[in-house]
Amino acid sequence: MAIARLARQEKRSYGFCAKLTAVVILGLCFIVVWSIFASPSTSVTIQRESFDNIGEPVTGNRKVSNPGTQIDNRKKVDEGKSSRDTKERVKSDLDGKDMKKVEGSDSKSPSNHASEKNHGAAKERNEKHKENKPEVAKKENHGSEESEEEDAPKGNEEEEQEVKDGQEAESKDDEAETEVDLGESDQEPEERTEPKDKGKKVKRKGPLFDPNAHYSWKPCRARSKYNYIPCIDFEAGGVKQQGYRHRERSCPRVPPMCLVPLPPNGYGPPVHWRDSNSKILYKNVAHPKLAAFIKRHTWLVEDGEFLTFPQNHSDLNGGVIHYLESIEEMVPDIEWGKNIHLVLEIGCTYASLGAVLLEKDVITLSLGLKDDLVDLAQVALERGFPTVVGPLGNRRLPFPSGVFDAIHCGGCSRSWHSNDGKLLLEMNRILRPGGYFILSTKHDSVEEEEAMSSLTASICWNILAHKTDEVSEMGVKIYQKPESNDIFELRRRKNPPLCKENENPDAAWYVPMKTCLHTIPTSIEQRGAEWPEEWPKRLEAFPEWLSNDKEKLTADTNHWKAIVEKSYLTGIGIDWSNVRNVMDMKAIYGGFAAALSQQNVSVWVMNVIPVHAPDTLPIIFERGLVGIYHDWCESFGTYPRSYDLLHADHLFSRLKNRCKEPVLIVVEMDRIARPGGWAIIREKLAILNPLEGILKSLQWEIRMSYSHGEEGILCAQKTMWRPSQ
């Protein structure tokens, strides 16, 4: 009783204070909740439901309208006019009142008030930049995660692609004013969302680029210096390492806001294609270990200022031509340039292989391995051959499943059977059903041979040939991937097992390699069930599994064909005889690359599919083109000064809420573009105008700019300028 009486007294003493405290806390909670849900200035991350309304960015205070009812106000090229009208329209594209053509200086647009105002602001910013150049503060991250495992979206799930309605309805008054199509392709599929990526988007209020920012640039001081690849090479300083490259792709925590210097002996304009097939400027690729490599091999020779490649010379006795002919003799079903069009070359040891196969209408994509310190991949790029650089370790290669007609590994010394055969199972994933794996080596131990035979039998690869060529003295093995699932059931030991049904074989960005077998597509409605048409028919021959997308693909092809023919080839000042290596930074269906392949230009195009975009890369490979997955918040896997032309169609506007520092994309473009190289950028004016200022701070020359309404196009050329050391 005494205890109860004491408790009641305590309650009487402190009851009022407790009640007052509770009221204060509840009041504060109410204020916080009200500020979150009711404040008009709250920033909310909005994802587009469609790409129809490209003229206006989606903001946090604006509702997203139904994509089926949106009206596309972009002006389209009227393909139904006569050839005379077409010439007049193209002329107006280049000489029209909204265009600014630059030869070292800019001229204002006199007619479009909004464009003039934006351009004047950009010019004023540029003048201020010349007087005062404070360094831009760098943020610690730029859209990718700080740890490798958390860094990347693990899935590449495809959203359902819908044909957008309401895009064909254009008013006649608008058609009368139409002069050029500056919008995106009307047939672009909807954006892909990835579960692990949703919570990592950047909530960006206001413009993509800070219009008041001024930039000053410094040279990069990485260990690899003028060959710096940020996500592959170690940075300068830190703990002393034996090498200068990571075993796996690993981007720096603080993104490099610096410019890669030119080679110490200078840099010269690259040798034009086709001469670059037989010689390149040595100083453009000079490297101490490359010099030592040249002394030990005969297929590349230092000749004055050039590095030459004698025809048909290689480390193979008898030459590459004899080597390829012997493969066709071993397996007559292999017909280079007919049923075999896309080949992946592991390593760049036999760079001449791609040169000879190119003459047979075969596109060979070389995978320059990160542990190749000789930098032969850079030599291949300088010669003008498709090449990417990356590790072949524990993660999947950035390609979809079942896309390569053949995979070749020449002089291969890799232990394909180690780690439960993980590397060979990755080759099995990206190889087309019925595709060929060609392995050649001079030295193979009995143990290695037995382990390889056991592994290939366990994944049901059929060995078609195993022969040592008397001339090349090279032991060649040719395997074929099965074309049906029946053979998997005949295995005595189900090891490796079949992958689970929910395992996406196309998920490749930062996804670890799997030790399982994906089932073979069997229905004609499934991709990979049928072998594609021969080249060049496969470029526009859409198989059954693409029947639902046929109209979109055709429209996209026609869209880019008109732009390439009527604008890019003749109207923006590019000398295409100087262009060989091209990158489409947001390729969608590969329409831009397909249009170029049908013109009289000698180019190859690397079609990049951003990891946040719809997964259309399998379609690109099906058409006989090459491509790769990539996250543009990170550095691309290639050497500096790799590409002659970069094409970006509304890339920046798609990355507004993804990359924390979008200016780093421009820095990356500067890294991978060659001096004298070009960039064609199609964007909203709100992005294009400040972007022009950034390019000018990098001393790029603006060769042409054109605007119509809220859209514009910019053509810029990189110079030899680099910041002082």
Side-chain angles (χ1 to χ4, degrees):
M1 293 293 291
I3 294 173
R5 192 179 303 110
L6 182 61
R8 285 194 296 272
Q9 290 176 356
E10 291 295 326
K11 289 182 179 179
R12 293 190 196 102
S13 302
Y14 299 101
F16 177 77
C17 294
K19 292 177 181 178
L20 181 61
T21 302
V23 169
V24 171
I25 292 173
L26 288 173
L28 291 174
C29 292
F30 178 80
I31 293 172
V32 171
V33 172
W34 178 262
S35 65
I36 292 175
F37 292 99
S39 175
S41 62
T42 300
S43 174
V44 181
T45 300
I46 299 293
Q47 181 181 341
R48 286 188 183 276
E49 296 297 331
S50 82
F51 288 169
D52 289 356
N53 56 338
I54 64 167
E56 295 266 337
V58 178
T59 63
N61 301 318
R62 179 179 173 186
K63 294 182 179 180
V64 180
S65 59
N66 188 339
T69 60
Q70 290 172 350
I71 300 175
D72 189 353
N73 291 321
R74 288 165 294 172
K75 309 300 185 274
K76 300 182 179 180
V77 176
D78 186 5
E79 297 179 1
K81 293 184 179 181
S82 65
S83 59
R84 179 179 177 183
D85 292 336
T86 300
K87 292 180 180 178
E88 293 177 357
R89 181 172 66 252
V90 175
K91 183 177 180 181
S92 69
D93 291 350
L94 306 177
D95 301 318
K97 57 186 179 180
D98 286 344
M99 189 196 70
K100 298 162 285 184
K101 203 161 188 175
V102 182
E103 292 293 343
S105 62
D106 296 344
S107 59
K108 291 184 180 179
S109 170
S111 61
N112 190 320
H113 177 70
S115 176
E116 181 178 0
K117 183 178 180 180
N118 290 331
H119 179 67
K123 184 175 181 181
E124 182 181 351
R125 288 194 302 272
N126 194 43
E127 291 175 353
K128 291 181 180 179
H129 161 72
K130 293 178 181 177
E131 298 173 0
N132 184 22
K133 295 184 177 180
E135 184 174 355
V136 175
K138 293 171 283 196
K139 294 187 179 180
E140 175 144 339
N141 205 330
H142 60 97
S144 42
E145 300 308 304
E146 291 186 355
S147 73
E148 287 185 25
E149 280 70 21
E150 295 176 355
D151 190 359
K154 307 275 177 151
N156 283 324
E157 276 137 43
E158 224 179 311
E159 287 191 355
E160 183 179 357
Q161 301 174 0
E162 299 177 353
V163 179
K164 299 176 178 58
D165 300 327
Q167 295 181 348
E168 299 300 327
E170 301 275 354
S171 68
K172 293 183 179 180
D173 293 337
D174 288 343
E175 285 182 359
E177 300 175 0
T178 297
E179 294 174 343
V180 64
D181 184 358
L182 292 177
E184 296 172 276
S185 171
D186 293 340
Q187 306 302 325
E188 182 175 351
E190 292 186 8
E191 185 171 350
R192 172 174 68 205
T193 58
E194 301 177 24
K196 293 197 175 185
D197 196 40
K198 284 184 178 180
K200 308 188 189 303
K201 287 195 174 183
V202 184
K203 295 181 179 180
R204 187 181 303 280
K205 296 168 61 178
L208 180 67
F209 299 111
D210 183 1
N212 299 318
H214 301 283
Y215 301 92
S216 64
W217 305 101
K218 296 180 180 180
C220 297
R221 303 189 183 279
R223 294 184 182 182
S224 46
K225 301 177 182 177
Y226 50 89
N227 283 340
Y228 182 38
I229 309 176
C231 292
I232 293 178
D233 297 342
F234 288 118
E235 299 173 84
V239 181
K240 186 176 181 180
Q241 303 286 344
Q242 292 182 350
Y244 66 87
R245 289 184 176 166
H246 294 285
R247 293 184 178 180
E248 294 285 356
R249 180 181 175 87
S250 179
C251 297
R253 292 176 180 269
V254 179
M257 193 78 164
C258 60
L259 304 184
V260 177
L262 295 176
N265 296 327
Y267 182 87
V271 178
H272 295 176
W273 182 262
R274 284 190 174 265
D275 291 339
S276 64
N277 188 7
S278 58
K279 66 177 182 180
I280 60 175
L281 278 176
Y282 187 19
K283 65 180 181 181
N284 287 0
V285 296
H287 189 278
K289 294 191 177 182
L290 178 60
F293 183 86
I294 293 172
K295 295 178 181 179
R296 303 193 307 268
H297 298 81
T298 61
W299 61 270
L300 66 174
V301 179
E302 184 178 357
D303 184 8
E305 64 175 343
F306 296 105
L307 191 61
T308 62
F309 309 92
Q311 188 176 9
N312 198 31
H313 276 226
S314 72
D315 283 348
L316 298 168
N317 295 334
V320 177
I321 295 176
H322 170 78
Y323 175 71
L324 293 174
E325 289 175 349
S326 66
I327 291 175
E328 286 186 306
E329 290 176 2
M330 294 180 198
V331 183
D333 287 341
I334 294 180
E335 298 180 277
W336 303 114
K338 295 183 180 179
N339 65 332
I340 306 298
H341 177 65
L342 294 177
V343 175
L344 178 67
E345 167 74 4
I346 305 298
C348 299
T349 307
Y350 297 159
S352 297
L353 182 77
V356 176
L357 285 176
L358 186 63
E359 302 295 331
K360 299 176 178 289
D361 271 342
V362 176
I363 297 179
T364 305
L365 176 61
S366 296
L367 176 64
L369 303 178
K370 60 91 189 173
D371 51 4
D372 172 23
L373 301 183
V374 180
D375 292 330
L376 294 177
Q378 188 179 29
V379 174
L381 283 164
E382 189 72 15
R383 293 179 69 183
F385 298 127
T387 308
V388 292
V389 182
L392 183 59
N394 295 314
R395 294 184 186 142
R396 286 179 172 178
L397 297 175
F399 307 113
S401 63
V403 292
F404 289 102
D405 305 331
I407 298 175
H408 178 265
C409 189
C412 238
S413 58
R414 295 196 165 268
S415 299
W416 295 100
H417 61 280
S418 61
N419 295 323
D420 298 324
K422 191 177 293 184
L423 292 180
L424 197 67
L425 286 168
E426 175 63 5
M427 300 299 104
N428 182 78
R429 182 186 72 88
I430 62 178
L431 189 61
R432 184 180 295 280
Y436 303 93
F437 183 75
I438 304 170
L439 183 66
S440 64
T441 180
K442 285 188 176 181
H443 307 288
D444 206 356
S445 66
V446 176
E447 293 79 9
E448 291 278 339
E449 177 123 5
E450 290 179 352
M452 186 67 176
S453 298
S454 176
L455 177 59
T456 53
S458 69
I459 63 177
C460 303
W461 278 14
N462 183 22
I463 183 165
L464 302 178
H466 183 188
K467 179 182 177 182
T468 300
D469 185 70
E470 296 180 356
V471 177
S472 65
E473 299 179 356
M474 187 69 68
V476 181
K477 300 176 187 176
I478 304 176
Y479 302 91
Q480 187 177 29
K481 181 179 176 178
E483 299 181 84
S484 69
N485 297 308
D486 297 339
I487 195 169
F488 295 141
E489 301 300 325
L490 301 177
R491 296 183 301 166
R492 292 182 180 180
R493 295 179 57 193
K494 303 297 189 292
N495 188 32
L498 296 179
C499 298
K500 297 179 180 179
E501 291 184 1
N502 61 353
E503 174 65 42
N504 182 9
D506 296 331
W509 189 248
Y510 282 89
V511 175
M513 293 181 183
K514 310 294 183 182
T515 54
C516 62
L517 286 169
H518 290 281
T519 56
I520 307 295
T522 55
S523 171
I524 60 173
E525 289 83 12
Q526 292 178 292
R527 179 175 65 86
E530 294 182 330
W531 199 272
E533 295 279 352
E534 293 183 4
W535 180 264
K537 292 181 180 179
R538 66 188 288 180
L539 192 63
E540 296 182 349
F542 306 121
E544 187 67 27
W545 66 273
L546 283 176
S547 58
N548 294 333
D549 299 317
K550 187 175 180 180
E551 292 183 3
K552 290 189 287 185
L553 287 166
T554 302
D556 182 74
T557 300
N558 294 336
H559 169 81
W560 286 111
K561 186 177 180 181
I563 290 175
V564 168
E565 289 180 351
K566 300 171 183 177
S567 295
Y568 286 3
L569 292 184
T570 58
I572 57 180
I574 295 177
D575 181 2
W576 287 87
S577 65
N578 297 336
V579 177
R580 172 61 181 170
N581 301 350
V582 179
M583 175 185 286
D584 192 354
M585 300 176 70
K586 188 171 78 75
I588 310 178
Y589 296 122
F592 171 63
L596 283 177
S597 69
Q598 296 173 330
Q599 302 298 323
N600 187 27
V601 289
S602 298
V603 302
W604 67 271
V605 181
M606 175 60 71
N607 295 279
V608 181
I609 297 299
V611 294
H612 69 282
D615 186 8
T616 53
L617 191 53
I619 298 176
I620 290 173
F621 274 97
E622 188 73 19
R623 304 182 72 178
L625 307 170
V626 293
I628 196 170
Y629 294 120
H630 183 62
D631 185 349
W632 282 115
C633 298
E634 300 182 4
S635 180
F636 190 78
T638 192
Y639 286 89
R641 306 171 300 278
S642 293
Y643 287 90
D644 301 300
L645 187 145
L646 304 175
H647 183 258
D649 178 32
H650 291 80
L651 171 70
F652 293 92
S653 54
R654 295 294 171 263
L655 298 174
K656 179 175 181 179
N657 292 323
R658 183 174 180 84
C659 303
K660 288 187 177 180
E661 288 290 348
V663 69
L664 290 167
I665 306 172
V666 189
V667 174
E668 179 64 5
M669 293 174 68
D670 181 86
R671 187 186 73 87
I672 66 179
R674 289 172 170 171
W678 299 82
I680 303 175
I681 305 171
R682 307 167 68 88
E683 266 297 350
K684 302 177 178 68
L685 278 182
I687 294 175
L688 210 56
N689 286 332
L691 183 58
E692 180 176 333
I694 297 173
L695 289 172
K696 287 180 178 178
S697 75
L698 293 165
Q699 305 302 314
W700 284 51
E701 294 182 355
I702 310 301
R703 295 301 187 186
M704 187 276 290
S705 62
Y706 174 87
S707 62
H708 186 86
E710 297 180 354
E711 298 289 332
I713 180 173
L714 178 70
C715 183
Q717 187 175 24
K718 181 180 175 180
T719 64
M720 294 285 289
W721 177 85
R722 294 288 88 182
S724 58
Q725 296 288 339

